[in-house]
Every structure is written in structure tokens, then in C-alpha cells.
Amino acid sequence: MTTERTAESLAKTLREAIIRFSRRVRQARPVGDLTFSQLSALTSLQLAGALTPRELADVERVQPPTMTKIIGKLEDRGLVARTPHPTDGRQVILAATDEGRAVYALHERTRNEWLAVELARLSPEERETLARAAEIMQRVARG
């Protein structure tokens, strides 16, 4: 039996590790009342700049009625604002407000601080391995 992993075996191991890691990163967040869905939608708007509600629902892979509820909660907190669509009067554009960008930045900072503490516990060689793995994962994600 060979010690080299098959692509299928590596895919399973890597996928499971990514899922666990993603869960742990999501848990590293400041205390607050934003749900994971609300934070995810805010993150998508922060990264995209602005989206229609339908585009946001598609990015988040939820049904439009679900996204409508999420947007409503974010608007109630002043984290998201609507503006008229420049070419389609039936549509609106959603974007993070200054307060929304500040909340997003706080969440990012908290997650990065948690991860930095965890990475500091690793050896320099382990950190270098992770840096290389991150480059490879980004390349795989780009396709």
C-alpha cells in the first residue's frame, strides 16, 4: 500500500478540515446580536460594494423572501441602506452604511485576532506550511 494520498482521499480530508475551520472562524466573533446569516449578507455587500436584493439572495444562496427578512433586520439596525437602481426603477441597490462597514470591520478584526493567537502557537515550519497551503487553496478556488 502506498503512503501517497489519492486525490479522492485528500479531497475528503481537506473538505472536512475546511468545514471545521470555517465553523471555528465564524464562532470567533464579537458579542452581539447579528446572526450568521445577517453577518454573511453584510460581508457579501462589503465585498461586492453594492447588490440588488436578488443578487444578494443569489450570492448567499437563499430564497428572496428569506433575504428580504435579513435585509429588513440589517436596515432596522442601520447597517444597510437602499438606493434607487440607476437604470431600473423597479429595483433598488443595497450597500453597507458607514455603521455597517464598522460592524464588518469589527468582526474581521476579531476573527483575525483569534486566528493570529492560534497561529502564534504553531512552529515557524507549521506556519510556513499553512502559508503555502493558503496560496494553493486560493489557486484551486480560482479554478
Side-chain angles (χ1 to χ4, degrees):
M1 180 163 158
T2 179
T3 58
E4 184 176 322
R5 287 186 186 258
T6 65
E8 185 175 309
S9 170
L10 179 57
K12 180 181 184 298
T13 301
L14 187 57
R15 182 184 49 76
E16 289 171 353
I18 290 168
I19 289 169
R20 285 190 190 111
F21 183 78
S22 293
R23 274 193 202 126
R24 186 58 190 99
V25 170
R26 282 194 314 266
Q27 291 169 350
R29 61 189 182 129
V31 175
D33 58 353
L34 274 186
T35 66
F36 288 125
S37 297
Q38 291 166 354
L39 182 58
S40 182
L42 185 61
T43 299
S44 291
L45 288 173
Q46 177 68 19
L47 296 176
L51 297 168
T52 67
R54 178 60 184 218
E55 290 168 336
L56 184 55
D58 289 346
V59 167
E60 292 295 308
R61 297 184 179 222
V62 298
Q63 294 298 314
T66 300
M67 184 51 62
T68 298
K69 291 177 186 173
I70 293 169
I71 293 167
K73 296 287 186 183
L74 293 172
E75 282 183 304
D76 289 349
R77 295 200 46 199
L79 304 178
V80 170
R82 296 174 187 252
T83 57
H85 192 284
T87 60
D88 184 349
R90 300 167 297 169
Q91 288 283 335
V92 295
I93 301 291
L94 301 168
T97 62
D98 289 343
E99 178 68 19
R101 286 187 289 279
V103 167
Y104 170 81
L106 174 62
H107 280 265
E108 284 296 296
R109 193 168 46 254
T110 301
R111 288 174 174 177
N112 289 341
E113 288 169 358
W114 169 81
L115 185 53
V117 167
E118 295 302 314
L119 291 174
R121 295 178 182 171
L122 302 177
S123 70
E125 294 80 17
E126 289 171 320
R127 287 193 300 274
E128 184 56 38
T129 298
L130 285 177
R132 181 72 182 121
E135 292 170 7
I136 294 167
M137 290 172 68
Q138 288 179 356
R139 191 173 70 231
V140 169
R142 285 190 296 269

